[in-house]
Amino acid sequence: MATRIEVPALREEIWQEVLPSGLSCYVLPKPGFATRYASFSTRYGSCDQTFVDRDGNLRETPAGIAHFLEHKLFEEKDGNVAERFSALGAMSNAYTNYGATSYLFSTTEHFSEALDLLLHFVQRPYFTEENVEKEQGIIAEELRMYLDDPRSVVFQNLLGALYQRHPVRVEIGGTLESIRRIGPDELFLCHRTFYQPGNMVLMVAGDVDPAEVFAMARQAVGGVREPALRRVYPDEPRPVAEEMKRQRMAVGVPLITIGFKDDPAPPEEALRREMIMEILLDVLFGPSSEIHRQLYEEGLIGQQFSSSYFSGDGYAASVLGGPTPDPDHLLARVEALLGETLVRGLDPKDVERSRRRSLGEFVALFNAPEAVAHAYSEYALRGLDLMAVHDLLQEVTADDVGRRLQEQFHTPRRSVSIVEGAG
Amino acid sequence: MAFIETPLESGASLFLWSTPKFKTTTVRVLLRAPLDQGASAGALVPMVLQRGTRSLPQTILLSRRLDMLFGAELRADVLKFGEEQVTIFHLEVAQSRYLSGEDPLPEAMTLLGDVLTEPPLESGGLRGEWVSQERENLRRRIQGIYSDKAHYAQVRLVEAMCGLEPYAIPRLGRLEDLDRHTGDGLWRHWQETLRRAPLAIYMVGDLESATAEKHAHRLLERIGRREVRPPALATPHAAPASPREIRERQPVAQGKLAIGFTTSLHAWDPGYPALSMMNGIYGGFSHSRLFQEVRERHSLAYYAQSQVDGLKGLLFVHLGIAPENRQAAQDLVLEQLEVLRRGEFRPQEAEDTLKGIATQIEQSEDAPSEAIMTDFELRAAGRPTEPKRRIAALAAVARDEIVAAARGLALDTVYFLDGEGDGDGDAD
């Protein structure tokens, strides 16, 4: 049975149906838009390296295997799936992050054919020794590209410094060494384990009929729901692994990222926590904040300075930073200014301002069906409902935000990552 | 495309797309100036103007005001557009019907006008403190290009290709010009731009045309009397007698190969759709020759693509490769062009390309900013703006026109960003 999730104030709705196979399907109708968009995603990301397989055995897999699998699914016995999407006028793509893998397309024509293709190819693995070896060259180049990207390096180094054991500390794509340990058997194992419908979400946005989408999904994704799978995460100690990580690279301007390790919220609280933290970080470090004003006028930051809350299964942290001419001086100033704010506390007016801004941004998000679909599906995989943000934003109080200020920053567990010029 | 043009005065027009499709109202003011030695001044001015206005003379006051308008977005930047530098002021506000409170648009439009025309002045120029701060920010933005190796490779390729032509000037201008900018000089530069630049006001949202016109008139009134110069046409590119090869070394894990060609067709040529088709078959998509051969068949690259600048008449190819594979990758890139020149591509490749471009054309109407920029670029090149006509023109391209477009390419410059390992060493 399809149900409707509505935000009347926005005149937006999302239709939902859970199929007998366990697959959760969502449709965001967007009449008047030419683009129709679909993603088929699994709750399987780079962090899911250790798990219990269907026969009850504990399995450990090489770093980067979820991403490797994402690349390889595009290959079929008779060619590359991307070309088949192209022949329908659809653009296909896929991505892997710490907690999910997603396959997607957007098109203006031939939507049903493209959706059918999407639903089928993701369920149809084709791995051979030869095609796996071929992919290693392509993925090695992708990894090298990120090794040369200072923004990627400074962030991944930060995660390595914040976390002692949690696999979020390892690059999503793995390493040049770990990908060489991936073969067809490991890929089949991971596909069998994580690509079961009960672990997956289908998301569609655009000028489509929800009932038709659900009918197609029922047709293409059969089977019965399987028992929930078990992932194994190591116990992450509360202290950070390392307080400072420095690296030299060929950069034009140094980069800094400062991370404050947080205790992850219980799953049902995760959405509310993220929303409150985004407001807190905006009040503290956003373009309208006193700290931002001072750092900017002191020439330590520019427009690219940003902050955000980074969280998922078993990890959470406030992260801020950007390019700066003097990373060590910036760090010292952030410390000092943050200390002053902790003593002074938050001004409720600032929280109200930030709340209004978040509301406007939530409204504007619905201009872009792909962006809504992307965010909605990421949350749905974690059992959360993005549409609830609208009500949560009305309810949040200055006290909620003030409490988090103390919890997160009073006795900080902090790591810093700096990338500087090669000399 | 649904933009309706209302000419307002010489050199200024309102382009309105009145639609309930979006949840925001988007406004863009676009000013066209020649890309020349003043490029860094052109890049610096919008950075200073965003710092505040006479009525909100501190950056934090302006920023907080925008927050209270439900996170109204007001920003300015420059774009390299052929051999012009276009200054873009972008305003986006949520529509009041989705919010509880007053309509934020009227005040947001006033703030836009304030930012454009009423910065706080000191001794007849832009505020000195802001100018020196933003000069350093701009310096870091320009230096930051070195951190983004793919972007850096493109800048270096174009510098080598175009030498003294204006096109060689980067979007943000050059570092060596920065120090001479003063509050005084920048304010004069900006007043000159406001007076002389062809100006377009784009609006997208659920607006009556009378309301939009009122806002546009008010904005132009505040800008004042104008004597507009015609837009600058790109200078013809002088290709070298034989292709240039440039190699640079840096401590990088991945090499960047950037190859520039001249094209025989420009955006304003009636035959231009043939070049779009040719580029699509060559390197515009994942079904294209470069992706299929360089990445899928030979596993040499993660990305391999081509793109055209129709205003200058250049085509660029970009690859990220292991340094030791440079020669093999370059050979493949040139070999695939030869294949197209001989007409040895399947009809399916042209069909897929047509579908791919048609999808892109139709999708540009789903995002306000993209719709605006697409319309602006097409009008500048004097091409039709309606999606149906654009797609029909591409569908009408014959196979031999695609072949002719491929034959019209001439290899100009090969730039390679190499690693510092011992590698091949014989690449020059």
Side-chain angles (χ1 to χ4, degrees), chain B residues 9-10 29 50 56 72 76 80 95 121 127 129 177 180 205 284 318 337 368 382 392 397 428:
Chain B
E9 57 157 80
S10 79
V29 179
Q50 289 177 88
L56 296 167
K80 180 168 161 176
Q95 286 184 31
L121 297 179
R127 189 183 279 178
E129 193 192 352
D177 302 325
R180 59 188 172 82
H318 285 275
L337 180 58
V397 171
D428 298 62

Side-chain angles (χ1 to χ4, degrees), chain A residues 10 12 32 34-35 80 86-87 89 106 108 134 141-142 144 148 250 252 288 296-297 353 356-357 367, chain B residues 21 23-24 63-64 67-68 92 133-134 137 147 149 253-254 287 299 302 322 352 355 359 362-363 366:
Chain A
L10 294 190
E12 295 285 347
T35 305
N80 194 300
S86 272
S106 77
T108 54
K134 187 206 83 173
E141 279 319 310
E142 185 178 0
R144 286 197 187 96
D148 286 337
S288 298
Y296 196 100
E297 288 178 0
R353 203 173 21 70
R356 273 176 91 121
R357 173 187 156 126
N367 267 4
Chain B
K21 182 165 166 177
K23 295 229 147 28
T24 58
S63 175
R64 290 182 169 181
D67 287 347
M68 289 311 279
E92 190 165 357
Q133 284 165 357
E134 294 310 325
N137 282 334
S147 304
K149 300 306 173 192
Q254 183 174 78
H287 66 256
S299 304
Y302 173 61
D352 290 355
K355 285 179 197 159
T359 300
E362 286 164 353
Q363 289 186 332
D366 282 348

Side-chain angles (χ1 to χ4, degrees), chain B residues 115-240:
Chain B
V115 165
L116 269 162
T117 64
E118 283 195 14
L121 297 179
E122 89 194 0
S123 37
L126 295 175
R127 189 183 279 178
E129 193 192 352
W130 287 356
V131 170
S132 45
Q133 284 165 357
E134 294 310 325
R135 193 168 43 213
E136 292 317 302
N137 282 334
L138 179 55
R139 191 188 312 279
R140 289 203 291 273
R141 285 175 75 191
I142 295 172
Q143 287 168 339
I145 294 168
Y146 180 79
S147 304
D148 178 348
K149 300 306 173 192
H151 185 185
Y152 177 79
Q154 169 70 7
V155 169
R156 297 281 289 140
L157 171 67
V158 164
E159 273 174 2
M161 268 180 100
C162 297
L164 296 173
E165 297 162 28
Y167 196 80
I169 299 171
R171 174 174 78 96
L172 299 174
R174 292 186 170 130
L175 276 183
E176 51 268 31
D177 302 325
L178 278 185
D179 286 321
R180 59 188 172 82
H181 299 313
T182 61
D184 206 29
L186 288 175
W187 179 234
R188 268 184 280 118
H189 179 95
W190 181 238
Q191 285 181 303
E192 176 76 0
T193 304
L194 280 181
R195 196 167 63 87
R196 307 212 57 197
L199 184 155
I201 301 171
Y202 276 88
M203 299 185 87
V204 179
D206 200 357
L207 284 169
E208 304 269 344
S209 59
T211 312
E213 279 175 40
K214 196 185 75 200
H215 283 305
H217 274 298
R218 175 83 189 103
L219 207 57
L220 282 175
E221 254 170 48
R222 298 186 65 183
I223 289 170
R225 232 168 68 85
R226 289 164 29 88
E227 296 160 57
V228 172
R229 72 168 110 67
L233 276 182
T235 52
H237 175 65

